[in-house]
């Protein structure tokens, strides 16, 4: 505007003072090697003004052209953003319907113009994974990584989730380890780590992340206790397969008191020791656990102990009967231990006491064996008959068809 105003001032001045200076226009000479240009001062001023006007016109035209292009670009961008918004909404509806082919197509189309393009590409990748199209999965993940720039965490989480869905468990475990370095308390990272470590039997790694799970309340206390127990049981299996009984016992000795007081772990430990033919250590583990806390799971293991001090076991069982009463389990276990020692009369008494409280096919069979050993054939036959009738009665109840209601 200032330049235009100045030009108008110059023109007006020319109109006013031009006639006065008509006879005194002056002389201007521009000389080069080959050319001599002669003109008056007035003509030079007029040419200068015209040149300025031409430059202003060119500048205005250029700005007009750029402005038109910018408006056109803005208009096309607005259309694409609006279309991307609608397609994203439609994709979410298709996701609820389970139409993953449409989800991928709608999410990836115009994704660069969506409000959250990274999210669009990640959802498209997961939809492609549901269809089993690994090429498209990688394509969408790579584009999402480009747009995510420095915030690669959502992309890495999605990549690990897809690997787990494809059962690429070891690759997923490697990805989980990297994610835990970036975000050790991220809920989704910990969930993925739980799955990856469980599938790859990385039990110690699973134990290591349980405190983080507890701090963010990812699971309830009972669920965390079960998960911790599962990890310890897995570790015991690994120690057993790698180093045998000695390796398992050395590992157990190195564990803290809290682990030793867990009877569920004692049960698993005792089973492993029985399998590797170390009944003496298994007996010590079982009896220590029973003395600390009454647990039927440990009592059920006692008859599986062979070549041990049965008198100690029977003494403990009699003590338990005094403390907790003559339960069917205690009497049945006492009868089985007595049978192993050839104490048939004591076994008969224990099985009869157990059967008085509840019928059991196994106790009937053991009672019949004890009677046979004592030459009580008639009583043995009656017991076997009663056991058979009970079994048939149970089978008839199981297979009986329900009566139709009138």
């Amino acid at each position: 505007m200032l330049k235009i105003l100045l030009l108008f001032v110059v023109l007006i001045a020319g109109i006013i003072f031009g006639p006065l200076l008509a006879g005194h226009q002056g002389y201007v000479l521009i000389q080069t090697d080959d050319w001599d240009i002669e003109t008056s001062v007035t003509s030079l001023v007029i040419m200068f003004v015209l040149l300025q006007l031409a430059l202003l016109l060119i500048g205005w035209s250029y700005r007009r052209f750029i402005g038109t292009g910018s408006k056109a670009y803005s208009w096309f961008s607005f259309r694409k953003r609006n279309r991307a918004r609608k397609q994203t909404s439609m994709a979410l509806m298709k996701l609820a319907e389970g139409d993953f082919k449409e989800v991928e197509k709608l999410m990836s189309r115009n994704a660069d113009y969506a409000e959250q393009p990274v999210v669009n590409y990640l959802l498209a990748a997961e939809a492609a994974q549901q269809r089993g199209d690994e090429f498209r999965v990688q394509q969408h993940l790579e584009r999402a990584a480009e747009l995510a720039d420095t915030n690669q965490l959502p992309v890495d989480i999605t990549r690990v989730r897809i690997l787990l869905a494809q059962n690429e468990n070891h690759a997923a475990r490697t990805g989980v380890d990297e994610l835990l370095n970036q975000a050790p308390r991220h809920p989704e990272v910990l969930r993925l780590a739980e799955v990856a470590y469980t599938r790859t039997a990385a039990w110690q790694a699973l134990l290591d992340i349980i405190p983080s799970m507890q701090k963010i309340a990812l699971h309830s206390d009972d669920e965390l206790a079960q998960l911790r127990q599962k990890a310890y049981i897995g570790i015991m299996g690994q120690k057993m397969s790698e180093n045998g009984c000695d390796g398992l016992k050395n590992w157990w000795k190195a564990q803290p008191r809290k682990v030793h007081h867990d009877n569920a772990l004692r049960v698993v430990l005792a089973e492993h020791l029985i399998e590797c033919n170390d009944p003496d250590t298994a007996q010590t583990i079982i009896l220590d656990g029973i003395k600390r806390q009454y647990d039927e799971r440990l009592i059920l293991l006692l008859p599986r102990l062979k070549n041990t001090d049965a008198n100690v076991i029977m003494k403990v069982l009699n003590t338990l009967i005094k403390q907790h009463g003559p339960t069917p389990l205690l009497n049945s276990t006492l009868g089985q231990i007595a049978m192993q020692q050839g104490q048939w009369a004591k076994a008969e008494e224990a099985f009869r006491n157990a059967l008085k409280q509840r019928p059991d096919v196994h106790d009937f069979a053991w009672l019949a064996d004890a009677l046979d050993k004592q030459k009580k054939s008639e009583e043995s036959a009656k017991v076997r008959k009663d056991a058979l009738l009970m079994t048939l009665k149970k089978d008839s109840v199981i297979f009986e068809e329900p009566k139709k209601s009138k």
Side-chain angles (χ1 to χ4, degrees):
M1 289 297 294
L2 183 60
K3 290 182 180 180
I4 296 173
L5 181 61
L6 289 174
L7 285 174
F8 274 109
V9 170
V10 171
L11 287 172
I12 293 171
I15 293 170
I16 296 173
F17 296 103
L20 297 175
L21 299 174
H24 308 281
Q25 294 184 13
Y27 175 77
V28 175
L29 174 63
I30 301 173
Q31 188 174 29
T32 65
D33 291 340
D34 299 323
W35 295 88
D36 291 335
I37 301 173
E38 298 179 3
T39 184
S40 63
V41 174
T42 303
S43 299
L44 182 64
V45 170
I46 291 172
M47 285 189 290
F48 175 75
V49 171
L50 291 175
L51 179 61
Q52 290 295 316
L53 286 173
L55 291 174
L56 286 173
L57 180 62
I58 292 171
W60 177 83
S61 300
Y62 175 76
R63 287 192 300 274
R64 184 79 175 177
F65 175 76
I66 293 299
T68 302
S70 177
K71 289 179 181 177
Y73 177 78
S74 299
W75 183 77
F76 281 112
S77 296
F78 173 76
R79 279 195 66 189
K80 288 185 177 180
R81 285 196 298 270
N82 191 41
R83 187 179 299 171
R85 189 182 302 111
K86 290 180 180 178
Q87 288 171 343
T88 301
S89 299
M90 292 172 60
L92 293 175
M93 294 296 293
K94 293 296 181 181
L95 181 63
E97 296 173 8
D99 189 350
F100 297 108
K101 183 177 181 180
E102 283 297 311
V103 171
E104 183 203 350
K105 183 171 71 174
L106 292 170
M107 279 292 182
S108 57
R109 187 181 294 173
N110 294 315
D112 289 344
Y113 296 92
E115 293 180 2
Q116 296 289 339
V118 175
V119 175
N120 277 54
Y121 279 114
L122 293 180
L123 287 174
E126 296 209 44
Q129 186 277 320
Q130 291 288 342
R131 297 193 302 106
D133 191 340
E134 295 185 11
F135 176 77
R136 296 286 288 174
V137 168
Q138 294 304 319
Q139 192 176 43
H140 295 317
L141 286 176
E142 288 173 6
R143 183 57 182 154
E146 291 175 6
L147 295 174
D149 196 15
T150 57
N151 185 22
Q152 293 292 318
L153 185 61
V155 180
D156 294 337
I157 288 175
T158 303
R159 182 176 284 109
V160 170
R161 190 186 298 119
I162 289 174
L163 287 172
L164 287 172
Q166 295 172 341
N167 290 321
E168 297 288 342
N169 298 320
H170 290 283
R173 178 182 169 182
T174 302
V176 160
D177 291 338
E178 296 174 357
L179 283 173
L180 287 171
N181 291 330
Q182 299 177 46
R185 292 188 184 178
H186 192 287
E188 184 62 16
V189 171
L190 290 171
R191 287 191 190 96
L192 294 173
E194 178 185 344
V195 176
Y197 290 154
T198 300
R199 290 187 183 181
T200 57
W203 304 117
Q204 187 57 53
L206 181 59
L207 274 179
D208 293 339
I209 65 171
I210 288 178
S212 296
M213 291 181 175
Q214 191 169 17
K215 287 178 181 177
I216 65 169
L218 187 64
H219 296 302
S220 66
D221 291 341
D222 289 341
E223 290 171 336
L224 287 175
Q226 292 175 5
L227 190 62
R228 186 181 291 107
Q229 189 178 100
K230 182 178 181 180
Y232 275 120
I233 291 172
I235 291 173
M236 283 193 281
Q238 289 176 343
K239 296 296 180 183
M240 179 73 178
S241 61
E242 292 171 2
N243 302 310
C245 260
D246 292 336
L248 180 60
K249 288 188 286 187
N250 291 334
W251 174 84
W252 179 259
K253 290 177 183 178
Q255 297 310 301
R257 184 179 300 176
K258 185 177 180 181
V259 175
H260 287 176
H261 290 178
D262 190 336
N263 275 355
L265 299 181
R266 282 181 173 270
V267 170
V268 177
L269 176 65
E271 287 177 340
H272 283 308
L273 292 171
I274 292 171
E275 289 173 7
C276 66
N277 197 26
D278 189 356
D280 293 329
T281 307
Q283 176 179 311
T284 302
I285 294 294
I286 293 170
L287 295 182
D288 286 348
I290 292 174
K291 290 175 182 177
R292 184 174 290 108
Q293 181 183 2
Y294 180 80
D295 194 318
E296 292 185 351
R297 293 171 297 179
L298 291 171
I299 294 171
L300 286 169
L301 294 176
L302 290 174
R304 295 175 57 184
L305 298 174
K306 307 297 182 182
N307 303 320
T308 57
D309 192 346
N311 292 325
V312 174
I313 296 175
M314 295 178 72
K315 183 178 179 181
V316 170
L317 287 172
N318 286 322
T319 302
L320 290 175
I321 289 173
K322 292 179 182 178
Q323 293 175 348
H324 302 279
T327 65
L329 175 61
L330 290 174
N331 275 314
S332 177
T333 305
L334 183 61
Q336 294 174 62
I337 301 299
M339 283 184 67
Q340 293 175 8
Q341 299 301 309
Q343 301 179 18
W344 308 114
K346 193 165 187 176
E348 176 189 350
E349 180 185 1
F351 288 130
R352 288 190 184 279
N353 289 334
L355 290 169
K356 286 178 184 177
Q357 295 177 284
R358 56 100 177 89
D360 182 83
V361 175
H362 296 93
D363 285 346
F364 273 119
W366 287 321
L367 175 59
D369 289 342
L371 292 170
D372 284 337
K373 293 294 183 180
Q374 298 177 76
K375 310 299 182 182
K376 299 179 180 179
S377 303
E378 294 182 4
E379 292 184 47
S380 174
K382 184 178 182 304
V383 168
R384 286 193 168 88
K385 181 180 177 181
D386 291 342
L388 179 61
L389 291 173
M390 186 186 71
T391 303
L392 294 174
K393 186 176 180 181
K394 280 187 177 181
D395 291 340
S396 65
V397 171
I398 292 172
F399 293 105
E400 183 180 2
E401 293 183 0
K403 295 181 180 179
K404 294 182 179 180
S405 58
K406 295 182 181 180

